[in-house]
């Protein structure tokens, strides 16, 4: 057995004659355990909050969104449709038109996005499960599904045939506008459904039939503003994006779900990093106790170290003893903290003791990557702390 490791292991499990050293060592060990557990719990909580926050947009956003590289719209030919359908990994596609328009209802007005969708839209997005009331639109009709925020702002009821929802769409073209009638295309919509996703999305979109949106915007039958794509679970995203660029001759921009919500992802990742750094600082403070405990143990074992030096051990070996002791203490404390933290997270996941509301438990997410991050942090900082303490051993101290 390696000599420094053997002595370090003995020192780790043995107690000192000096009770103060034993107390400081226990405090250091408890600090490492609590620090590791707290860091893992907090990272798991933020992972849960991230999944919970993204779940709202995931029901609305497609796996991939194809948009024109220039201009507001693009043409999608029948040949291109066939080529896209033949791409391996593509499960479904949906043609979409989005345009910012004006909605009027009983003297109230609201500027929002009219989103024209085809019959395959529900195969690409899980929008139907977000319906708060009513039903989804039928193809080839003047029906509309609007967000809860828009319905609330305009005080709209469903299936009100006597009071239609008016929509005003700017006419394409150039030149001077002589009258409001010449500036807008006007249409009447029948609200039949209300969706509820998030406050931002609920106040943003009104869904209508794709053909109606093309008619209002004076688009061609093959003219759309975007193509939404749903991928199969085993699909190769990079390959699909490459083939889409090839089909459209690199005249498009393709964004995945993360890129569509880049600001939200950046905010969540930044918050996660800040919390990690804060709790890492807490662990660093706790490891100062480890440094102090090792230094006091070095002084307490000074006579033993002199004996080992006389028996042929080098100063480097003696330093390695306490460096290994501190590392073993850090690893043991980190593993125990991770075990306790894992227990806390699994209990919350299965029994939901902490609730945000009566129906919503505080979201947590158990991830192996969080275990690896916490363990690596504890080990690296523990080795660094042990090295600082062990470096106090020198020939002058042992003389």
């Amino acid at each position: 057995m390696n000599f420094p490791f053997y002595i370090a292991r003995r020192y780790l499990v043995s107690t000192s004659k000096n009770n103060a050293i034993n107390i400081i060592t226990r405090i250091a060990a408890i600090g490492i355990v609590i620090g590791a557990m707290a860091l893992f719990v907090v990272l798991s909580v933020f992972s849960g909050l991230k999944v919970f926050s993204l779940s709202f947009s995931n029901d609305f956003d497609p796996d991939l969104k194809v948009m024109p590289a220039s201009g507001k719209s693009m043409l999608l030919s029948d040949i291109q449709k066939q080529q896209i359908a033949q791409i391996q990994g593509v499960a479904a596609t949906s043609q979409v038109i989005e345009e910012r328009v004006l909605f009027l209802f009983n003297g109230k007005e609201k500027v929002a996005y009219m989103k024209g969708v085809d019959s395959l839209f529900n195969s690409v997005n899980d929008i139907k499960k977000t319906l708060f009331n009513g039903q989804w639109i039928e193809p080839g009709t003047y029906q509309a599904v609007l967000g809860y925020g828009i319905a609330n702002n305009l005080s709209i009821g469903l299936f009100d045939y006597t009071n239609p929802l008016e929509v005003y769409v700017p006419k394409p073209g150039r030149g001077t506008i002589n009258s409001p009638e010449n500036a807008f295309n006007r249409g009447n919509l029948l609200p039949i459904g209300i969706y509820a996703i998030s406050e931002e999305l609920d106040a943003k979109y009104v869904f209508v039939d794709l053909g109606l949106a093309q008619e209002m915007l004076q688009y061609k039958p093959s003219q759309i503003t975007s193509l939404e794509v749903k991928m199969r679970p085993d699909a190769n995203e990079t390959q699909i994006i490459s083939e889409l660029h090839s089909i459209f001759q690199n005249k498009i921009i393709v964004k995945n779900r993360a890129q569509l919500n880049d600001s939200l992802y950046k905010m969540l990742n930044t918050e996660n990093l800040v919390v990690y750094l804060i709790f890492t600082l807490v662990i660093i403070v706790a490891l100062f106790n480890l440094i102090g405990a090792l230094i006091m143990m070095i002084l307490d074992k000074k006579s033993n170290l002199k004996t080992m030096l006389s028996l042929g051990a080098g100063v480097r070996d003696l330093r390695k003893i306490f460096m290994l002791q501190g590392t073993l203490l850090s690893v043991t404390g980190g593993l125990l903290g991770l075990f306790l933290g894992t227990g806390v997270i699994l209990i919350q996941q299965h029994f939901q003791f902490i609730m945000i509301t009566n129906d919503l438990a505080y979201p947590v997410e158990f991830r192996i990557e969080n275990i690896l991050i916490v363990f690596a942090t504890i080990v690296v900082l523990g080795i660094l702390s042990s090295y600082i303490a062990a470096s106090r051993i020198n020939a002058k101290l042992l003389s």
Side-chain angles (χ1 to χ4, degrees):
M1 181 179 289
N2 184 276
F3 166 71
F5 180 78
Y6 175 77
I7 301 298
R9 194 183 64 174
R10 291 289 301 271
Y11 282 173
L12 181 66
V13 297
S14 63
T15 57
S16 173
K17 295 180 181 179
N18 191 328
N19 195 41
I21 297 177
N22 295 329
I23 294 174
I24 294 175
T25 303
R26 292 191 188 102
I27 292 174
I30 293 172
I32 294 172
V33 172
I34 294 176
M37 181 181 71
L39 180 58
F40 177 73
V41 169
V42 169
L43 290 180
S44 299
V45 167
F46 267 82
S47 296
L49 289 173
K50 184 176 181 179
V51 172
F52 179 73
S53 301
L54 295 176
S55 65
F56 296 106
S57 60
N58 289 347
D59 293 336
F60 186 84
D61 293 323
D63 294 329
L64 295 175
K65 189 170 185 177
V66 182
M67 297 170 289
S70 60
K72 297 177 64 175
S73 64
M74 63 183 186
L75 297 177
L76 180 64
S77 66
D78 292 335
I79 296 177
Q80 289 173 326
K81 292 179 186 177
Q82 295 175 3
Q83 291 174 333
I84 294 172
Q86 293 173 358
I87 297 177
Q88 186 177 2
V90 172
T93 60
S94 175
Q95 301 175 59
V96 173
I97 289 178
E98 291 184 32
E99 183 60 50
R100 193 174 176 89
V101 299
L102 174 66
F103 293 98
L104 295 177
F105 185 80
N106 283 343
K108 296 181 179 180
E109 60 183 47
K110 172 72 175 178
V111 176
Y113 281 90
M114 177 180 66
K115 187 162 184 172
V117 298
D118 61 12
S119 59
L120 298 175
F121 184 73
N122 287 302
S123 300
V124 177
N125 300 275
D126 293 328
I127 190 68
K128 266 191 174 181
K129 74 177 186 181
T130 67
L131 284 178
F132 175 75
N133 198 3
Q135 61 191 46
W136 189 249
I137 57 177
E138 295 290 336
T141 64
Y142 286 82
Q143 298 171 349
V145 172
L146 49 156
Y148 180 80
I150 297 175
N152 189 45
N153 289 336
L154 298 179
S155 303
I156 294 178
L158 300 182
F159 301 99
D160 188 351
Y161 293 92
T162 58
N163 294 311
L165 173 63
E166 298 179 84
V167 54
Y168 289 85
V169 180
K171 288 183 178 180
R174 299 178 180 177
T176 306
I177 299 175
N178 297 323
S179 63
E181 290 78 10
N182 296 328
F184 296 94
N185 289 324
R186 179 182 174 277
N188 292 331
L189 303 176
L190 174 64
I192 65 165
I194 297 174
Y195 71 87
I197 302 176
S198 65
E199 184 177 353
E200 179 184 359
L201 294 174
D202 293 350
K204 188 174 183 179
Y205 289 105
V206 174
F207 290 91
V208 299
D209 179 63
L210 178 67
L212 174 61
Q214 289 173 330
E215 178 186 338
M216 296 290 294
L217 290 166
Q218 298 180 6
Y219 276 8
K220 300 175 183 178
S222 61
Q223 191 173 5
I224 58 175
T225 59
S226 64
L227 180 71
E228 300 190 354
V229 180
K230 180 179 179 60
M231 299 187 300
R232 300 185 189 278
D234 57 344
N236 187 326
E237 180 182 296
T238 304
Q239 181 181 350
I240 292 176
I241 292 175
S242 177
E243 293 190 41
L244 286 171
H245 278 288
S246 177
I247 292 172
F248 288 95
Q249 300 178 353
N250 295 320
K251 295 180 180 179
I252 57 168
I253 298 173
V254 183
K255 291 187 177 182
N256 57 25
R257 189 169 286 160
Q259 292 168 334
L260 290 171
N261 298 281
D262 55 345
S263 58
L264 178 59
Y265 274 83
K266 287 179 182 178
M267 180 190 71
L268 294 173
N269 290 334
T270 301
E271 289 179 350
N272 200 11
L273 177 61
V274 170
V275 170
Y276 167 75
L277 293 176
I278 291 174
F279 274 81
T280 299
L281 181 61
V282 173
I283 293 175
I284 292 174
V285 173
L287 287 173
F288 276 113
N289 291 325
L290 175 62
I291 297 175
L294 289 175
I295 291 176
M296 291 186 67
M297 188 170 293
I298 289 170
L299 298 176
D300 184 59
K301 303 291 184 180
K302 186 176 179 181
S303 59
N304 293 343
L305 297 179
K306 287 183 178 180
T307 301
M308 285 185 279
L309 186 66
S310 301
L311 293 174
V315 174
R316 188 174 180 180
D317 293 327
L318 300 180
R319 288 177 179 174
K320 191 180 292 186
I321 290 173
F322 291 94
M323 186 171 177
L324 286 172
Q325 183 185 356
T327 303
L328 289 172
L329 184 61
S330 301
V331 170
T332 305
L335 290 174
L336 182 56
L338 285 171
F339 176 77
L340 296 175
T342 300
V344 171
I345 296 305
L346 293 179
I347 289 173
Q348 174 63 14
Q349 280 186 332
H350 290 85
F351 299 102
Q352 301 179 348
F353 285 121
I354 303 176
M355 306 292 291
I356 298 177
T357 64
N358 292 332
D359 300 322
L360 180 62
Y362 207 95
V364 293
E365 184 80 7
F366 178 81
R367 291 185 177 179
I368 298 297
E369 63 186 64
N370 288 336
I371 291 181
L372 297 177
I373 290 172
V374 174
F375 186 72
T377 302
I378 293 292
V379 170
V380 170
L381 293 178
I383 291 174
L384 182 61
S385 301
S386 303
Y387 175 79
I388 293 173
S391 63
R392 302 289 296 175
I393 301 176
N394 50 44
K396 184 179 179 180
L397 177 69
L398 302 175
S399 61

